[in-house]
Amino acid sequence: MIINHPILGPRDSQEFTYLGDASLIDRPDWQAEDAADQFHDYLYLRDNPAGEHRELWFHEQGDRSWLVVTRNTVTHEILTVELARDVARARGRSK
């Protein structure tokens, strides 16, 4: 599988480490009244979709960047690749 890195161009997926669902970017507020329940769900509950899915990938053997890869889990077709930093900033999750 080839991942089209936004900065470096096409790279083999073997250069990357898969982390999981890209919703991990949306970490719960630790000061919320129900923080324990939110963190339980955040850490342990995962969807296992067939079809389009947003995932976090780490470019371990390259520039060490984090990417949000949207791909079809049935066909492995990659639809979009974005820097996780940009996704987090767009959601107001980073400085």
Side-chain angles (χ1 to χ4, degrees):
M1 186 167 63
I2 301 296
I3 296 176
N4 192 17
H5 193 291
I7 298 171
L8 304 175
R11 314 301 294 179
D12 191 284
S13 63
Q14 292 181 5
E15 295 181 14
F16 296 83
T17 301
Y18 170 78
L19 176 66
D21 192 318
S23 67
L24 292 175
I25 291 173
D26 299 323
R27 187 180 176 132
D29 178 8
W30 64 275
Q31 295 178 322
E33 192 171 303
D34 62 341
D37 291 332
Q38 288 184 35
F39 271 97
H40 174 272
D41 294 352
Y42 173 79
L43 293 171
Y44 298 110
L45 301 181
R46 299 280 186 263
D47 291 332
N48 189 14
E52 191 173 309
H53 186 61
R54 290 171 51 96
E55 307 167 331
L56 280 174
W57 289 74
F58 177 62
H59 197 194
E60 184 173 21
Q61 297 179 17
D63 68 346
R64 306 189 68 75
S65 60
W66 286 93
L67 303 178
V68 174
V69 176
T70 303
R71 77 178 175 99
N72 186 312
T73 59
V74 176
T75 65
H76 299 291
E77 175 189 8
I78 294 178
L79 306 170
T80 62
V81 180
E82 308 164 86
L83 291 172
R85 173 194 66 204
D86 296 341
V87 173
R89 284 181 180 163
R91 294 180 181 183
R93 302 294 299 179
S94 181
K95 297 177 185 176

